[in-house]
Amino acid sequence: MEHFNPILGYETTGPKFITCGEIMLRLTPPNYEKLRMATNFEASYGGSEANIALALANLGVDSTFFSVVPNNSLGKSAVRWLRSNDVHCTPMILTEPDETPSNRLGTYYLETGYGIRPSKVIYDRKHSAITEYDFSQVDLDELLEGFDWLHLSGITPALAPNCRGLIIDMLKEAKRKGLTVSFDGNFRSTLWTWDEARDFCTECLPYVDVLLGIEPYHLWKDENDHSKGDWKDGVPLQPSYEQQDEIFQHFIERYPSLKCIARHVRYAHSGSENSLKAFMWYDGHTFESKLFTFNILDRVGGGDAFASGLIYAMLHNYKAMDMINFAVASSAIKHTIHGDANITDDVSSIRNLMNMNYDIKR
């Protein structure tokens, strides 16, 4: 595929990253208004995998996004937004109604929380183009050729049966070709049930190198007797170091091909102030990051910013503690940016935050 990135140019020597997922139109009432009060909306684009591609591209990584969008002004605008942030869109598929009958771009509405009022999301993504496309037409060997890293999430397979087939096939092809694979379970209760998500995402684990989050997966204490429960049962959302380390060890025992497991832990003091830290298993040890406390401008995409920060740090061979602190700092700084994605184009600003340096830069 012929790529051009205005920052990287045509010739790139670093690792090449690709991801696949749905990109959606995001509509948000301005000034923290509630949806029922809104008379106008701010339009932008987002989606977990697109957010990660965009964040990495802004940090200078050769980053490609694959998806299906309708061949109309909305679909083209979404592609244009990605390209304006230096994401390669060569493999993107723009479809006509004979290929995807509904031929629509998924949409979601975000009501931004403030203070004690949490944010709220309403999806309008059923029958979007990606859910109606016949992916048997896609040559995955050709699609993944030349790439070093593939990132996928549990959102895409939740959309429709064709997307579930695509994700499993991409995982198998990436494994065959020797790509590093990262996977974020990203459970969405509006798209499928907890048991459906756990069943499918557990099926993905043998193909994964870097696991983001510890749910939704089965980690049975006894594979032959599920009544004995899951090792994660009873573990709090804000675990101690010892509790998290034990869960990581059970994952590694069951899936020795995993090279890294990382998850962030959120402390929601209010709708406008949160704290974040993270745990990571890497190279035989469990690491715990610093705790970052911050005010929130826009929370959506915080988990994607964590994922992109970790991927960036791993691609650039950071030391383990720097990897996890850079990932959390990436998430924290995203909370200060409007929109879904971490549009931060200088690594130094994230590293300064990572080192708790808040001084003005001039």
Side-chain angles (χ1 to χ4, degrees):
M1 291 181 287
E2 293 296 326
H3 287 166
F4 176 73
N5 181 310
I7 294 176
L8 302 175
Y10 281 108
E11 298 298 326
T12 58
T13 57
K16 296 182 183 297
F17 171 89
I18 186 170
T19 185
C20 164
E22 181 175 33
I23 185 167
M24 294 181 291
L25 173 66
R26 166 177 149 171
L27 297 173
T28 311
N31 303 318
Y32 300 96
E33 289 180 356
K34 291 178 67 63
L35 285 167
R36 64 178 298 174
M37 300 163 55
T39 56
N40 56 78
F41 294 88
E42 296 172 349
S44 58
Y45 295 93
S48 179
E49 300 88 349
N51 296 340
I52 292 172
L54 188 147
L56 289 172
N58 271 276
L59 293 176
V61 174
D62 188 299
S63 183
T64 295
F65 182 64
F66 170 64
S67 189
V68 178
V69 297
N71 187 18
N72 59 29
S73 294
L74 282 176
K76 292 174 184 176
S77 180
V79 174
R80 189 177 300 113
W81 175 74
L82 288 162
R83 284 179 168 157
S84 72
N85 279 282
D86 308 318
V87 176
H88 300 309
C89 296
T90 309
M92 290 282 286
I93 297 172
L94 279 75
T95 60
E96 302 294 342
D98 61 333
E99 299 172 288
T100 54
S102 302
N103 214 42
R104 65 187 302 264
L105 188 74
T107 302
Y108 83 93
Y109 299 83
L110 172 67
E111 182 178 287
T112 307
Y114 185 83
I116 60 172
R117 175 166 59 87
S119 295
K120 174 181 175 182
V121 167
I122 296 177
Y123 285 123
D124 179 20
R125 63 197 302 184
K126 193 172 184 179
H127 300 303
S128 60
I130 194 172
T131 69
E132 297 183 341
Y133 189 73
D134 178 8
F135 287 108
S136 66
Q137 305 174 71
V138 178
D139 185 336
L140 295 181
D141 176 49
E142 180 182 358
L143 175 67
L144 298 179
E145 182 63 31
F147 289 100
D148 303 287
W149 191 299
L150 169 69
H151 176 78
L152 299 171
S153 93
I155 297 176
T156 303
L159 297 175
N162 69 322
C163 294
R164 286 193 278 280
L166 172 68
I167 295 305
I168 283 293
D169 290 345
M170 289 188 80
L171 287 168
K172 292 178 179 179
E173 184 63 25
K175 196 73 170 179
R176 187 187 71 80
K177 296 175 77 69
L179 278 71
T180 297
V181 175
S182 55
F183 189 87
D184 188 340
N186 258 340
F187 176 65
R188 296 292 186 269
S189 62
T190 57
L191 299 178
W192 55 1
T193 68
W194 182 248
D195 287 338
E196 286 175 324
R198 271 191 164 185
D199 288 346
F200 182 87
C201 291
T202 302
E203 188 180 344
C204 297
L205 286 175
Y207 307 100
V208 175
D209 301 292
V210 178
L211 183 64
L212 293 144
I214 60 170
E215 291 288 10
Y217 310 99
H218 294 301
L219 196 60
W220 300 116
K221 292 180 179 180
D222 187 336
E223 287 287 351
N224 299 314
D225 184 0
H226 295 174
S227 68
K228 293 182 180 179
D230 188 289
W231 285 110
K232 298 185 274 20
D233 291 343
V235 176
L237 292 175
Q238 297 155 352
S240 66
Y241 174 90
E242 291 76 17
Q243 289 171 319
Q244 189 60 68
D245 178 61
E246 181 182 2
I247 297 302
F248 285 161
Q249 297 304 326
H250 288 303
F251 266 106
I252 297 304
E253 289 169 11
R254 188 69 50 83
Y255 301 100
S257 60
L258 289 171
K259 299 179 178 65
C260 177
I261 312 173
R263 59 85 55 99
H264 67 284
V265 178
R266 183 181 296 272
Y267 302 83
H269 312 300
S270 73
S272 303
E273 183 183 67
N274 284 190
S275 296
L276 284 179
K277 71 174 182 181
F279 296 101
M280 177 183 72
W281 182 91
Y282 180 74
D283 198 22
H285 302 279
T286 294
F287 299 87
E288 182 176 358
S289 77
K290 299 173 183 177
L291 180 71
F292 295 78
T293 300
F294 46 86
N295 293 320
I296 299 172
L297 183 65
D298 191 329
R299 174 175 163 169
V300 176
D304 304 327
F306 174 79
S308 63
L310 183 67
I311 293 168
Y312 179 89
M314 294 188 76
L315 286 173
H316 290 81
N317 299 312
Y318 281 24
K319 294 179 181 177
M321 278 304 302
D322 286 345
M323 283 167 49
I324 194 64
N325 282 320
F326 187 87
V328 182
S330 297
S331 182
I333 207 167
K334 159 62 196 75
H335 287 73
T336 70
I337 299 170
H338 267 307
D340 266 41
N342 185 17
I343 304 180
T344 302
D345 60 1
D346 57 323
V347 176
S348 61
S349 64
I350 300 176
R351 291 191 65 92
N352 284 329
L353 179 59
M354 178 180 94
N355 296 321
M356 303 294 189
N357 182 352
Y358 306 111
D359 289 343
I360 187 172
K361 303 303 167 194
R362 52 182 163 187

